[in-house]
Each structure stands twice: as C-alpha cells, then as structure tokens.
Amino acid sequence: MSDSEHGRLPKRSRASEVARGQMTSSDGVRIKRRRTSTIDDEASATLRSNMAESPRTALCAGTPAEDIPEACEGEQTNTSFTNWFLSDVVAGKFGHASPLFTSDDEYLFLGLETSVQIYSVTTSRLFRTLKLKPCDNVIGYKLSPSNSDHLYVFSSTGSVSKWEWFSGQQLPYQAACRPTICVDVCSDISESDALFFIHDCEDSKKEIALRRSNDEDPRPTSLLTTNAQLTHLRVAYQGRILVAFGGQNVLLGSLVPSQDSKTVQYTWSELTLPTSITSADIRHRAASQRAGTSGVKERAALGNLDLVLGESGGSIMIYNDILNSLQNEIGSGKGLTPRRLHWHRSCVNVVRWSKDGNYVISGGNESVMVLWQLDTSRKQFLPHLSSPICNIALSMSGSLYAVKLADNSTVVLSARDLQPLTTITGLQLCSIPTKPHSQVSTKKLVLAGAIAAALHPKHPDQLLLTVPASCQVTQEGYTLANACTLQTYDIRTNSHISRQALARTNTTTLRTSPDGSYIVAPDVSHLRITRDGKWMATIDSWSPYARDVQALHPGEAHDGRIFTDNQETYLKFWRWNSLSTMWELVTRIDAPHFSSKGAARVLNLAVRTLAHEFATIGADGVLRFWCPSVRQRSGLKAADTEQLLETWKCRSAIDLKSYIDVDQSTRVGAAYMDYSQDGSVLAICLKSTSSLNPGLTLLIDAQSCCIRYSRVGLHAGDFCGAAFLGPQLLITSARSVFIWDIVNDFVRNLGLSDAAENTQPYPSRLLAVSVETKTFAIATQVHQHKNTASKKRRRAQPHIQVYDIETLNLLSENMLDSSPVALLSDRHSADYVVVDATAKVQRFSCLGSAIQATHTNSPHIQLETSGLAGLFGQQGHGGLGNMQQSATAPNSLGISSQTQLASVFGDIPPFVLPSANLLFRDVVQALSA
C-alpha cells in the first residue's frame, strides 16, 4: 500500500535520506526542522552546499531532468529587483473643505488630502489634478477674486500655492509657513487679493492675520490674538468685515477707516453662545438696500450683515443685521434674540444662505437637505440621500448646489427643481471615527481592519471591494460600518464604475428602532472571483443586539457568544452578466456551516485556480467544497435555458474536528487556506482555543477531497494569513513568516524586523504573493492608541515590505500614510496594490519586472504543477480531472485584450493617464505579447 493511500505525504527521492530533518542557516535566515528524527551533521553540510549551489533545487524536486524547461535556470535572476517604488496616490477621501464652482459653473473643485481635483460638471469626469507636496495637507482652496483663472490652495503648514488651474501650471508665490487652520480670500479696496489666515500659536492661542498678494514681505500682518478656539473664518465687503467662530464663540471684526493704507486695524465684538457652533454662513448687503438703517455712521457705512449659525443640538439661529444689533445691545443692555429654526435631530453640519437671501439651506446626519423659506416659514425637503451631508456649496450664479456626502461622493443639483445633474463618486470606504469609545447602542464601530477586496481577473485595473450602503452616524458622532455593497473602481483612470448591493440594505427606511438603537445592515466579510471572471462568491453575516436575544438565552451573559449563536450567515454565488454589466445572484446558501446552536461563522473562503469551484471552512470545523451543477427542470430543454439551469451545491465535506481536538460546544478560532497555483492542493491552517495541536496545517487533495498530510507546530503565535507561491506555503504571524517547502518538506523562518519594536497588541499583517516575480509582500496594519505607555508603539508606522522567496532577502520597504486594509497582487503587471484606511490606492511596482511580468506560459505551469501534483502520486495535469473541462486555458481568459496597444492608452484624456514609467511598462508588455 502506497504512502498516499495511508493519508501521509509520499516520500521524495533525495540525495540523502538523512537530509530530510536538516536545519540550515543562510544569510541570517533560520531554517528549522520540526521533526523527532536525529540530524546527521555530515548530511546537513552536504544539503547546505547543494542548496547554495542550486537555489532552484527545491522548486524542481521530484521532476525529471528532461521535463524541466530551460527557463528554470534563468528564473534565478528574476527576483533580483532593486527598483521597487510606490506609484502616485489614486482615489482618496474628499477633505472637509467646501466644494467650489468656477465662475461659469463648468467645473467643480474638490480637495483631497494632498491634492485638488477638478471635475467637469457636465460629464462628471476628472479633468485635472493639482498635486501638492506630500507633507502639505489641503485645508482650503479659493479662486482669485481678481483673476478667476488662478486658484489659491492652502495647506495646514501655512504654505500657499497659486495655480493656473485650467492648464495645471503652478505660479510662483511666496508665503510664510506657519501652522494654519483656516484661510479666506477676498479682493480689497486696491483690487488686490487679500488673504486672511487663522494661525495656531503657542499656548493654544489663535491668531488672525492678513497678507496681500502684492506685498513684498511674505510675513502676514497680525490682526488679533485670542484664546478662543477658532476653527472657521468668513470675509465680507472687501475685507471690511471678518467673522470667525469656533466652539461657543463668534468674533466679528469691522475695519476702522484710516488714511494710511498700510495701517490695518479692526474693532472686534464677541458673541458667546450656550452651545457649540458646528457651522455658519454670512450674507452681506449694502446699506442702501434696506430702509431705516440705524446706528453710528461707521457701522452704517459697512452695510448689513446677516449671520446664520448651526449648533450641535440641531437648532439654526439667524441674526439679521448683527453688527447694528450688537451695537444696540451694548447701548440698551439687552441680549440678542435670534430667530430659531429647528428640525434636525443632531448637529447641523452645514448651513448656507441662498443668493437672494430668501432661503437658508441646511444639512445634517439625517441624509436630508432642508430648504427654509424665511418669509413663509415653510420647509422643503430633499430626502433619502445616500449618506449624511457634510458640506453644501452654491455656484456663483446660484443655479447649482454641490452637496458633499459622508460616503465620499458629491452630488450636483439644480437649484430650480433639485434634480441631480452630476454625481462624483470616490472610493467609498468607511471613515474612521475620531471620538473615543463610550457606551452607545451600536454594534460595531469603524476600525482599520481588513476588507473584502479583489482585482478583476480579466480587467486588472478594476478594483472590486465591499463598502457600506450608507454612512450612518449616531447622535454621539460615531460611524456604523457594515460593508454590504460592492463597488467597482477603475484605479487607472481614477473613476468610479458601478456599485450594487450584495446584502439587504436600509437606505430609504428609518434606521432607528423604537428603543433608540441603530438598525445595521449585514457585513460582507469574504469575496472571491474565479480566474475567468464568470463567477463570484461572497459571505455576508448579520448579528442581533445582545439584549434583543436575551430572552432566548436565560441566565447567560451579554457576550459575543449570543451574537454567534443567533447570527444570519449566507453564502452567495453570483454570475457576471455582460449585457447588464452587473453581478446576478444565482444561488444563496443559508447557513452553509452550522452546529446544534444555529449558524456557524464562516472563517475563510477560497477559490480554486483554473476551475469553477470554491471552498469554505466554518467555525464548526467542517470544510466544504462548492461547485456548479445543472438544475434539472421537467419540460424545459437545457439548450434553451442554459443560463437558468446553473446552480451551486456542496460536492464534498470534510470534518476536521478530530484533527484539532474540539467538540460540538467549542468553535474553531481562526482558519486560513489557499489553493496552489495548479489547483491540485488546498492548504489549511487552523487554530482553536482548546486545541491540543497548535500550529496545525493540513494538505488536502482538491480533486478527491482527501486529507493527504497534516503537520503540527509549523507556525507559532497568532497567524494572520496563508498563501501558496509555487511549492512554498507562506504563513504569516505577528512576528515572523514561516515558509514551508511542501515538496522537499523543510521549513524556513523569517523574523520580521519590526516585530520587536511593537508591544501588545501586536499589529496584524496582510499577505500577497507574486508568481511572476517570485516575491511576496507583507503590509503591516498598525492600530494607533494615544494612551499607550510605549513610546515605540506611538512611533510605529504602517509599511509594506517585499521579500524574495528564494533568498528571503528584503528587496524593498516603503512607509504608508495610513493603515492598509487590503493588499492584492496583480498577476498581469506583477504589481502589488495597496488600499489604506483613508481610501487611497497605490501600486507597489518594480521597474525590473516589466519584461518578466508576462502572463504565465505553459512550461512554467508544467513546472509548478508537476511538483505539487506529485505529492499525491499524479503526473503533470492528469490529477486535475474535470477541472480543465470547467475552466478555460490561462492564455484564453481575456488576456489578449490586455496586450493590445490600444488598451494601454484607452479612451481617456492625456492628462488623466498614469505616470510615464507605468505607461512605458504597459507598452513593453503589449509589444512583447
């Protein structure tokens, strides 16, 4: 009886039988054997010398010499890359600055973290991007009052850049760099641009300063220094009136007339409110437009200033002619009595005056825009927006509204009928809350964790990721995160393609229960797509609040176990419809994994390479294989209803509880699995809270669904990922990476350099592999905590590292601005795609991999499959069975369309194309295909 029949790994013919338990050390990388057999020093030295002479011996083991292609020797140099680099940032979160229209209402400015994007209002396409230095964060942007072709962009460091926005040319401009909070621009009496700043000074003080564009001295003139925590500034009447607000304070400054134009002095008045101010807007009118104006001569010359304030309690306060009202208050000793409007349940995020002053427009967390008609006190609503309103901007003509929403989108509306004209959608990841955790009735708050994402196999520039249907914000200011929608985003043209719901959503219904708790949508935790892009599988789950199911579990505490026992879990299979360009739901499996207490959580989902097959493993310790089948219907011909007869079913199941020593009352804690490149082997790494076999790894024959080999102690610590790279199985943990060569059966341990710098809690890591370059990348997720006692932990920064699989040398390391939430490998370009928590996407590329990063050729596949298939006594592709019948060949999966030269440039403007080095790489690939 053969070894494979006993369920053990078949022995490989080697130069020395004693070398099976060898431990070697090379270049500081510890290679250890976890076996009980003794070690022969002489055989160990022999194996070390053989490995030093031929690093590719492990890959080619078990393959006859005549079957090894000549490329096996040449591939040794493919991993010697030194020119790894991060590409320019794509997508990103729109900043807090208000959208800005051009004077002709043709273009719209939207600010990101370090750039300003210009969109066409007519087509909603990205027209141009104005990029700042990486250290400059955009806090505002204004058109020059004297020349509408010039745009001022302000950063938090105090630097001011001036652009000719239509051509994208940056103009010379000098400005003193000081920490800046807010900037506003107006045209002064001399018709030059006057810039008003709010600077952050020492001792938590704020300074209001002025600088004119024609001044030779870049240092601004100080106008006021105050202890009030000012956050916003508005300028009116050619800089004669200033309104600054923040917290509970409103400061109003009026220019004192002076014969010397260089002397600038303001008279300040302060208004203190009993509540916090969240938004404000001003409207100025000349004194002649209103009869009966009273007050001193100087204030009457300033005209009438109407002020509207939004506060945290949901009220809107209107102060008409506030300058004269403050003067009268001082003389009479009576307080100001504003006009109050109240409809919002929580804070008012934005208030705006209409151009004619007859309306006040407001928006908050209710996803409703409200138009207040002041004369009749009537309200007009625009309900059911996709997310809470963050900001509203009016065009200069007053005919358009730009509504910026919390889901990273902006809608341009017609002011006449409130119909949407343009929708600009960015990458709609959940925003990270800034407030500390407190006792609120929410199930989940947004954290920088991994998300379900994938690159389209046939269109690698299309990023598919799960996002929330709407950004729900509680009254305490928390954001509820439930990714139940699939968004497709083109990272090459930086444009949104489509979005569709993967689970039930509550977009247009009341999302608050009678007891005040928020109704949340299911969360899609896993997403996988077949190699030909025809099928997609998703896992979504939903759990009730503990108090809602307490009656079903009397005497038990409100813990996470109640959530698990009463959760709803669905496995869904989707088919791509090229006509509707949408994913169509074909089969829904209710509770694919279950136990005596109900549905069990699905721990991981994997897709088989070159086949239409998926595998799931649940907390019940059962592994299930899913494949499509023909649905038989009486009286219907399969030829006529081919698209309707496909359904998905479980073709096999393996109970793994005996391997991890768990019973029915114990759940599996974590599991990671991945298929080999030829689809013949499925590797599973398991962890259980009560397991007596730590670091358990199983190798399963994907065709026969039999466990062929099991190994204990392969990895240590809390593992966070597993992936195949040729015959090597990589398992990542918080402190190291374990590389198991399953052909030669030896383990190498790579200690991560940043592991010692981080104390508890350890950072989690994302893993991705590249078959073309024979490298693997690790992205570190760092969760910052302000109250941590470790200084090293506070200095920790998320980063991405690329290692060579043969030598385990660190090829490159780059720091990231934010914690990564997805790390993907593009098999077409051999790049790594990183998505961080701030919705920014970057490619980690290597210039030396442009020529080698071609599509996998047949000899290379034969090399890999012969090594892995040989584990189970198979020859070449013979063990794949009907897998080749259900999957197309690698070279026919839409790759030809990517190698055409026309697809490199596409139907997009030249200024939207990626950088020149990426274009050159794509052209080389297209010409060499």
Side-chain angles (χ1 to χ4, degrees), residues 5 17 33 48 50 95 188 202 231 255 360 394 491 518 546 548 596 684 751 838 840 843 855 858 866:
E5 295 178 357
E17 287 293 331
R33 286 287 305 160
R48 282 196 298 266
N50 293 337
D188 60 4
E202 299 179 356
T231 56
L255 181 64
V360 169
L394 277 68
I491 58 179
Y518 286 82
D548 296 338
S596 59
I684 302 178
T838 58
K840 292 185 297 185
R843 283 184 176 270
H855 307 300
S858 55
S866 60

PDB file of all heavy atoms in Angstrom, residues 5 17 33 48 50 95 188 202 231 255 360 394 491 518 546 548 596 684 751 838 840 843 855 858 866:
ATOM      1  N   GLU A   5      -2.011   6.325   0.047  1.00  0.00           N
ATOM      2  CA  GLU A   5      -3.219   5.653   0.494  1.00  0.00           C
ATOM      3  C   GLU A   5      -3.353   5.697   1.997  1.00  0.00           C
ATOM      4  O   GLU A   5      -4.447   5.566   2.543  1.00  0.00           O
ATOM      5  CB  GLU A   5      -3.200   4.200   0.004  1.00  0.00           C
ATOM      6  CG  GLU A   5      -3.262   4.091  -1.530  1.00  0.00           C
ATOM      7  CD  GLU A   5      -3.183   2.659  -1.998  1.00  0.00           C
ATOM      8  OE1 GLU A   5      -3.031   1.784  -1.109  1.00  0.00           O
ATOM      9  OE2 GLU A   5      -3.273   2.411  -3.201  1.00  0.00           O
ATOM     10  N   GLU A  17      18.852  10.300   2.513  1.00  0.00           N
ATOM     11  CA  GLU A  17      17.652  10.140   3.307  1.00  0.00           C
ATOM     12  C   GLU A  17      17.770  10.866   4.635  1.00  0.00           C
ATOM     13  O   GLU A  17      16.785  11.244   5.228  1.00  0.00           O
ATOM     14  CB  GLU A  17      17.402   8.633   3.566  1.00  0.00           C
ATOM     15  CG  GLU A  17      16.912   7.873   2.364  1.00  0.00           C
ATOM     16  CD  GLU A  17      15.516   8.319   1.969  1.00  0.00           C
ATOM     17  OE1 GLU A  17      14.760   8.753   2.849  1.00  0.00           O
ATOM     18  OE2 GLU A  17      15.192   8.238   0.789  1.00  0.00           O
ATOM     19  N   ARG A  33      13.777  22.446  11.312  1.00  0.00           N
ATOM     20  CA  ARG A  33      13.008  21.241  11.074  1.00  0.00           C
ATOM     21  C   ARG A  33      12.292  20.873  12.353  1.00  0.00           C
ATOM     22  O   ARG A  33      12.888  20.792  13.415  1.00  0.00           O
ATOM     23  CB  ARG A  33      13.941  20.100  10.663  1.00  0.00           C
ATOM     24  CG  ARG A  33      14.455  20.224   9.250  1.00  0.00           C
ATOM     25  CD  ARG A  33      13.390  19.912   8.250  1.00  0.00           C
ATOM     26  NE  ARG A  33      12.830  18.623   8.501  1.00  0.00           N
ATOM     27  CZ  ARG A  33      11.645  18.232   8.056  1.00  0.00           C
ATOM     28  NH1 ARG A  33      10.912  19.061   7.385  1.00  0.00           N
ATOM     29  NH2 ARG A  33      11.204  17.037   8.318  1.00  0.00           N
ATOM     30  N   ARG A  48      23.413  21.740   2.756  1.00  0.00           N
ATOM     31  CA  ARG A  48      23.663  23.181   2.730  1.00  0.00           C
ATOM     32  C   ARG A  48      24.474  23.562   1.490  1.00  0.00           C
ATOM     33  O   ARG A  48      24.207  24.567   0.835  1.00  0.00           O
ATOM     34  CB  ARG A  48      24.393  23.626   3.997  1.00  0.00           C
ATOM     35  CG  ARG A  48      23.487  23.741   5.213  1.00  0.00           C
ATOM     36  CD  ARG A  48      24.179  24.551   6.297  1.00  0.00           C
ATOM     37  NE  ARG A  48      25.405  23.892   6.757  1.00  0.00           N
ATOM     38  CZ  ARG A  48      25.456  23.074   7.803  1.00  0.00           C
ATOM     39  NH1 ARG A  48      24.346  22.806   8.479  1.00  0.00           N
ATOM     40  NH2 ARG A  48      26.592  22.516   8.173  1.00  0.00           N
ATOM     41  N   ASN A  50      24.574  21.898  -1.343  1.00  0.00           N
ATOM     42  CA  ASN A  50      23.739  21.723  -2.532  1.00  0.00           C
ATOM     43  C   ASN A  50      22.780  22.879  -2.705  1.00  0.00           C
ATOM     44  O   ASN A  50      22.538  23.339  -3.820  1.00  0.00           O
ATOM     45  CB  ASN A  50      22.977  20.399  -2.451  1.00  0.00           C
ATOM     46  CG  ASN A  50      23.896  19.190  -2.529  1.00  0.00           C
ATOM     47  OD1 ASN A  50      24.997  19.286  -3.052  1.00  0.00           O
ATOM     48  ND2 ASN A  50      23.426  18.054  -1.995  1.00  0.00           N
ATOM     49  N   GLY A  95     -11.715  66.011   1.305  1.00  0.00           N
ATOM     50  CA  GLY A  95     -11.472  66.702   2.559  1.00  0.00           C
ATOM     51  C   GLY A  95     -12.671  67.470   3.069  1.00  0.00           C
ATOM     52  O   GLY A  95     -13.774  67.449   2.510  1.00  0.00           O
ATOM     53  N   ASP A 188      -9.525  93.380  -1.936  1.00  0.00           N
ATOM     54  CA  ASP A 188      -9.591  94.543  -1.055  1.00  0.00           C
ATOM     55  C   ASP A 188      -9.890  95.802  -1.863  1.00  0.00           C
ATOM     56  O   ASP A 188     -10.215  95.754  -3.062  1.00  0.00           O
ATOM     57  CB  ASP A 188      -8.300  94.677  -0.263  1.00  0.00           C
ATOM     58  CG  ASP A 188      -7.081  94.851  -1.163  1.00  0.00           C
ATOM     59  OD1 ASP A 188      -7.263  94.942  -2.404  1.00  0.00           O
ATOM     60  OD2 ASP A 188      -5.957  94.891  -0.639  1.00  0.00           O
ATOM     61  N   GLU A 202       1.420  79.380  19.956  1.00  0.00           N
ATOM     62  CA  GLU A 202       1.780  78.691  21.180  1.00  0.00           C
ATOM     63  C   GLU A 202       0.757  78.981  22.276  1.00  0.00           C
ATOM     64  O   GLU A 202      -0.030  79.916  22.196  1.00  0.00           O
ATOM     65  CB  GLU A 202       3.184  79.116  21.640  1.00  0.00           C
ATOM     66  CG  GLU A 202       4.285  78.788  20.631  1.00  0.00           C
ATOM     67  CD  GLU A 202       5.636  79.242  21.109  1.00  0.00           C
ATOM     68  OE1 GLU A 202       5.693  79.879  22.188  1.00  0.00           O
ATOM     69  OE2 GLU A 202       6.633  78.970  20.409  1.00  0.00           O
ATOM     70  N   THR A 231     -12.057  78.008  14.534  1.00  0.00           N
ATOM     71  CA  THR A 231     -11.863  76.970  13.521  1.00  0.00           C
ATOM     72  C   THR A 231     -12.251  77.425  12.119  1.00  0.00           C
ATOM     73  O   THR A 231     -11.812  76.814  11.146  1.00  0.00           O
ATOM     74  CB  THR A 231     -12.673  75.717  13.871  1.00  0.00           C
ATOM     75  OG1 THR A 231     -14.050  76.069  14.016  1.00  0.00           O
ATOM     76  CG2 THR A 231     -12.176  75.108  15.182  1.00  0.00           C
ATOM     77  N   LEU A 255     -13.587  96.871  10.009  1.00  0.00           N
ATOM     78  CA  LEU A 255     -12.409  97.657   9.679  1.00  0.00           C
ATOM     79  C   LEU A 255     -12.584  99.104  10.128  1.00  0.00           C
ATOM     80  O   LEU A 255     -13.621  99.730   9.893  1.00  0.00           O
ATOM     81  CB  LEU A 255     -12.145  97.602   8.175  1.00  0.00           C
ATOM     82  CG  LEU A 255     -10.930  98.350   7.655  1.00  0.00           C
ATOM     83  CD1 LEU A 255      -9.635  97.751   8.200  1.00  0.00           C
ATOM     84  CD2 LEU A 255     -10.904  98.336   6.124  1.00  0.00           C
ATOM     85  N   VAL A 360     -32.618  79.573   3.549  1.00  0.00           N
ATOM     86  CA  VAL A 360     -31.470  79.030   4.268  1.00  0.00           C
ATOM     87  C   VAL A 360     -31.445  77.528   4.000  1.00  0.00           C
ATOM     88  O   VAL A 360     -32.460  76.839   4.180  1.00  0.00           O
ATOM     89  CB  VAL A 360     -31.545  79.308   5.782  1.00  0.00           C
ATOM     90  CG1 VAL A 360     -30.496  78.498   6.535  1.00  0.00           C
ATOM     91  CG2 VAL A 360     -31.334  80.786   6.055  1.00  0.00           C
ATOM     92  N   LEU A 394     -22.729  76.617  -3.123  1.00  0.00           N
ATOM     93  CA  LEU A 394     -23.578  77.234  -4.137  1.00  0.00           C
ATOM     94  C   LEU A 394     -22.696  77.786  -5.249  1.00  0.00           C
ATOM     95  O   LEU A 394     -21.607  78.317  -4.996  1.00  0.00           O
ATOM     96  CB  LEU A 394     -24.427  78.363  -3.550  1.00  0.00           C
ATOM     97  CG  LEU A 394     -25.732  77.975  -2.839  1.00  0.00           C
ATOM     98  CD1 LEU A 394     -25.458  77.223  -1.549  1.00  0.00           C
ATOM     99  CD2 LEU A 394     -26.551  79.217  -2.549  1.00  0.00           C
ATOM    100  N   ILE A 491      -8.833  52.031 -11.050  1.00  0.00           N
ATOM    101  CA  ILE A 491      -7.686  52.689 -10.427  1.00  0.00           C
ATOM    102  C   ILE A 491      -6.728  53.253 -11.472  1.00  0.00           C
ATOM    103  O   ILE A 491      -5.756  53.929 -11.109  1.00  0.00           O
ATOM    104  CB  ILE A 491      -6.936  51.714  -9.500  1.00  0.00           C
ATOM    105  CG1 ILE A 491      -6.465  50.478 -10.276  1.00  0.00           C
ATOM    106  CG2 ILE A 491      -7.830  51.307  -8.346  1.00  0.00           C
ATOM    107  CD1 ILE A 491      -5.698  49.480  -9.431  1.00  0.00           C
ATOM    108  N   TYR A 518     -29.591  51.581  16.615  1.00  0.00           N
ATOM    109  CA  TYR A 518     -29.496  51.762  15.177  1.00  0.00           C
ATOM    110  C   TYR A 518     -29.573  50.408  14.477  1.00  0.00           C
ATOM    111  O   TYR A 518     -28.900  49.452  14.872  1.00  0.00           O
ATOM    112  CB  TYR A 518     -28.205  52.483  14.807  1.00  0.00           C
ATOM    113  CG  TYR A 518     -28.235  53.950  15.134  1.00  0.00           C
ATOM    114  CD1 TYR A 518     -27.966  54.403  16.421  1.00  0.00           C
ATOM    115  CD2 TYR A 518     -28.557  54.889  14.178  1.00  0.00           C
ATOM    116  CE1 TYR A 518     -28.004  55.751  16.726  1.00  0.00           C
ATOM    117  CE2 TYR A 518     -28.597  56.239  14.468  1.00  0.00           C
ATOM    118  CZ  TYR A 518     -28.329  56.664  15.751  1.00  0.00           C
ATOM    119  OH  TYR A 518     -28.384  57.992  16.051  1.00  0.00           O
ATOM    120  N   ALA A 546     -27.347  42.021  21.731  1.00  0.00           N
ATOM    121  CA  ALA A 546     -27.421  41.019  22.801  1.00  0.00           C
ATOM    122  C   ALA A 546     -28.730  41.117  23.574  1.00  0.00           C
ATOM    123  O   ALA A 546     -29.328  40.107  23.929  1.00  0.00           O
ATOM    124  CB  ALA A 546     -26.227  41.185  23.749  1.00  0.00           C
ATOM    125  N   ASP A 548     -31.567  41.956  22.493  1.00  0.00           N
ATOM    126  CA  ASP A 548     -32.714  41.514  21.712  1.00  0.00           C
ATOM    127  C   ASP A 548     -32.906  40.011  21.771  1.00  0.00           C
ATOM    128  O   ASP A 548     -34.020  39.523  21.521  1.00  0.00           O
ATOM    129  CB  ASP A 548     -32.560  41.956  20.254  1.00  0.00           C
ATOM    130  CG  ASP A 548     -32.571  43.467  20.098  1.00  0.00           C
ATOM    131  OD1 ASP A 548     -33.095  44.144  21.006  1.00  0.00           O
ATOM    132  OD2 ASP A 548     -32.049  43.963  19.084  1.00  0.00           O
ATOM    133  N   SER A 596     -25.287  22.689  16.519  1.00  0.00           N
ATOM    134  CA  SER A 596     -26.528  22.454  17.253  1.00  0.00           C
ATOM    135  C   SER A 596     -27.170  23.740  17.744  1.00  0.00           C
ATOM    136  O   SER A 596     -28.370  23.777  18.025  1.00  0.00           O
ATOM    137  CB  SER A 596     -26.244  21.532  18.447  1.00  0.00           C
ATOM    138  OG  SER A 596     -25.261  22.118  19.307  1.00  0.00           O
ATOM    139  N   ILE A 684      -4.610  24.325   4.574  1.00  0.00           N
ATOM    140  CA  ILE A 684      -5.457  24.928   5.601  1.00  0.00           C
ATOM    141  C   ILE A 684      -4.648  25.051   6.879  1.00  0.00           C
ATOM    142  O   ILE A 684      -4.014  24.078   7.319  1.00  0.00           O
ATOM    143  CB  ILE A 684      -6.723  24.090   5.864  1.00  0.00           C
ATOM    144  CG1 ILE A 684      -7.521  23.915   4.573  1.00  0.00           C
ATOM    145  CG2 ILE A 684      -7.587  24.735   6.928  1.00  0.00           C
ATOM    146  CD1 ILE A 684      -8.752  23.059   4.748  1.00  0.00           C
ATOM    147  N   GLY A 751      12.171  36.094  10.517  1.00  0.00           N
ATOM    148  CA  GLY A 751      11.788  37.018  11.568  1.00  0.00           C
ATOM    149  C   GLY A 751      11.622  38.429  11.020  1.00  0.00           C
ATOM    150  O   GLY A 751      12.533  38.957  10.373  1.00  0.00           O
ATOM    151  N   THR A 838      -7.741  55.375   4.506  1.00  0.00           N
ATOM    152  CA  THR A 838      -8.214  56.672   4.024  1.00  0.00           C
ATOM    153  C   THR A 838      -8.624  56.626   2.559  1.00  0.00           C
ATOM    154  O   THR A 838      -8.664  57.661   1.904  1.00  0.00           O
ATOM    155  CB  THR A 838      -7.130  57.743   4.227  1.00  0.00           C
ATOM    156  OG1 THR A 838      -5.936  57.332   3.538  1.00  0.00           O
ATOM    157  CG2 THR A 838      -6.830  57.925   5.708  1.00  0.00           C
ATOM    158  N   LYS A 840      -7.141  55.529  -0.064  1.00  0.00           N
ATOM    159  CA  LYS A 840      -6.101  55.779  -1.058  1.00  0.00           C
ATOM    160  C   LYS A 840      -5.570  54.462  -1.602  1.00  0.00           C
ATOM    161  O   LYS A 840      -5.389  53.500  -0.851  1.00  0.00           O
ATOM    162  CB  LYS A 840      -4.961  56.600  -0.444  1.00  0.00           C
ATOM    163  CG  LYS A 840      -5.351  58.023  -0.083  1.00  0.00           C
ATOM    164  CD  LYS A 840      -4.164  58.820   0.408  1.00  0.00           C
ATOM    165  CE  LYS A 840      -3.601  58.243   1.683  1.00  0.00           C
ATOM    166  NZ  LYS A 840      -2.513  59.072   2.235  1.00  0.00           N
ATOM    167  N   ARG A 843       0.047  51.519  -6.191  1.00  0.00           N
ATOM    168  CA  ARG A 843       0.686  50.340  -6.759  1.00  0.00           C
ATOM    169  C   ARG A 843       2.145  50.277  -6.303  1.00  0.00           C
ATOM    170  O   ARG A 843       2.857  51.282  -6.374  1.00  0.00           O
ATOM    171  CB  ARG A 843       0.626  50.356  -8.287  1.00  0.00           C
ATOM    172  CG  ARG A 843      -0.725  49.972  -8.865  1.00  0.00           C
ATOM    173  CD  ARG A 843      -0.656  49.920 -10.384  1.00  0.00           C
ATOM    174  NE  ARG A 843      -1.906  49.467 -10.973  1.00  0.00           N
ATOM    175  CZ  ARG A 843      -2.201  48.202 -11.232  1.00  0.00           C
ATOM    176  NH1 ARG A 843      -1.314  47.264 -10.952  1.00  0.00           N
ATOM    177  NH2 ARG A 843      -3.355  47.857 -11.763  1.00  0.00           N
ATOM    178  N   HIS A 855       2.328  37.048 -18.957  1.00  0.00           N
ATOM    179  CA  HIS A 855       1.375  36.070 -18.496  1.00  0.00           C
ATOM    180  C   HIS A 855       2.028  34.698 -18.440  1.00  0.00           C
ATOM    181  O   HIS A 855       2.915  34.367 -19.221  1.00  0.00           O
ATOM    182  CB  HIS A 855       0.166  36.052 -19.415  1.00  0.00           C
ATOM    183  CG  HIS A 855      -0.423  37.402 -19.587  1.00  0.00           C
ATOM    184  ND1 HIS A 855      -0.912  38.128 -18.537  1.00  0.00           N
ATOM    185  CD2 HIS A 855      -0.579  38.175 -20.693  1.00  0.00           C
ATOM    186  CE1 HIS A 855      -1.375  39.289 -18.983  1.00  0.00           C
ATOM    187  NE2 HIS A 855      -1.167  39.331 -20.278  1.00  0.00           N
ATOM    188  N   SER A 858       2.982  28.091 -20.624  1.00  0.00           N
ATOM    189  CA  SER A 858       2.691  26.696 -20.348  1.00  0.00           C
ATOM    190  C   SER A 858       3.850  25.936 -19.723  1.00  0.00           C
ATOM    191  O   SER A 858       3.629  25.121 -18.832  1.00  0.00           O
ATOM    192  CB  SER A 858       2.232  25.994 -21.634  1.00  0.00           C
ATOM    193  OG  SER A 858       3.210  26.165 -22.665  1.00  0.00           O
ATOM    194  N   SER A 866       3.765  19.947 -11.756  1.00  0.00           N
ATOM    195  CA  SER A 866       4.416  18.654 -11.623  1.00  0.00           C
ATOM    196  C   SER A 866       4.958  18.456 -10.226  1.00  0.00           C
ATOM    197  O   SER A 866       4.950  17.342  -9.708  1.00  0.00           O
ATOM    198  CB  SER A 866       5.548  18.542 -12.650  1.00  0.00           C
ATOM    199  OG  SER A 866       6.503  19.572 -12.436  1.00  0.00           O
TER     200      SER A 866
END
